[in-house]
Amino acid sequence: MSIHIGAKQGEIASTVLLPGDPLRAKFIAETFLKDVVCYNEVRGMYGFTGTYQGKRISVQGTGMGMPSISIYVNELITEYKVQNLIRIGTCGAMQDDIHLKDVILAMSVSTDSSMNKLRFNNMDYAPTADFSLLMKAYNNAQKLGVQVRVGNILSTDTFYGDDPDEWKHWAKFGVLAVEMEAAALYTLAAKFKVKALGIMTVSDSLITHEITTSEERQKTFRNMIEIALQTTLELDV
Ligand SMILES: O=P(O)(O)O[C@H]1O[C@H](CO)[C@@H](O)[C@H]1O
Ligand SMILES: O=c1cc[nH]c(=O)[nH]1
């Protein structure tokens, strides 16, 4: 067992899907996986292992924000030898041609967080997706008939910022959408030489102020989940 994950060695698969919401992890396990075992309930941050079309995979909630996902990703990699980490999250659209429920593959991540400023002694690091995961996910989206946007997203530390227009500056530079974890995920994956990708569904628009309901956020993001699951089938480990 690690400090925050109550699994025994061998109970977590080498590929893990990472929703922020632990109830999304439960929903995915119950809806898409067979032979499911719940390996973690510590802090209510559910983790499950099961099989998808015969492939063993796990799904682990990460909580919200970079400090929280960093704890789970660190322990998954260092204590449980996880090799492939695919975040399946929600995000807010920052471009007017991106709509509710659109799917975004995060090729790179900008951030307003100080975590990497501290890690890299105030220099800029560019958190980047693993190209083989990105390419597989893109190809699977095409096969499933799901149009995806691929590009730069923002991982922010503040869901409720002080300046309601701050996101517009990122948008001017082509950033597609905002969420709160991918920069930390990509940075840790690079540090530990494992693979990571973020697949995000648009849950709200910063432009039109449309939002999805929490039930929709938890349950209806099938396109993103199916892209991630198909991608796991093509992984060697
Ligand atoms: O839906 P999840 O995966 O939690 O992702 C997004 O939703 C949360 C904010 O509501 C943040 O964690 C953000 O990254
Ligand atoms: O971090 C997030 C997630 C979803 N929507 C947002 O606007 N921000």
Side-chain angles (χ1 to χ4, degrees), residues 72-108:
Y72 293 98
V73 166
N74 258 293
E75 293 182 16
L76 288 169
I77 298 170
T78 62
E79 308 274 343
Y80 296 100
K81 310 299 172 223
V82 170
Q83 295 292 311
N84 306 296
L85 300 106
I86 304 179
R87 168 163 155 70
I88 42 176
T90 61
C91 65
M94 302 207 299
Q95 302 291 338
D96 56 14
D97 59 349
I98 299 182
H99 307 286
L100 290 192
K101 299 190 187 171
D102 282 358
V103 177
I104 293 174
L105 304 181
M107 181 160 65
S108 55

Side-chain angles (χ1 to χ4, degrees), residues 78-151:
T78 62
E79 308 274 343
Y80 296 100
K81 310 299 172 223
V82 170
Q83 295 292 311
N84 306 296
L85 300 106
I86 304 179
R87 168 163 155 70
I88 42 176
T90 61
C91 65
M94 302 207 299
Q95 302 291 338
D96 56 14
D97 59 349
I98 299 182
H99 307 286
L100 290 192
K101 299 190 187 171
D102 282 358
V103 177
I104 293 174
L105 304 181
M107 181 160 65
S108 55
V109 192
S110 302
T111 185
D112 57 16
S113 164
S114 57
M115 284 178 88
N116 276 356
K117 289 280 182 198
L118 293 171
R119 182 176 270 126
F120 291 98
N121 199 15
N122 221 29
M123 295 183 286
D124 290 319
Y125 174 74
T128 307
D130 175 78
F131 181 68
S132 64
L133 282 184
L134 178 64
M135 191 174 59
K136 286 179 174 61
Y138 182 80
N139 289 338
N140 280 313
Q142 302 299 304
K143 279 186 215 155
L144 290 164
V146 179
Q147 281 209 341
V148 289
R149 292 288 296 267
V150 183

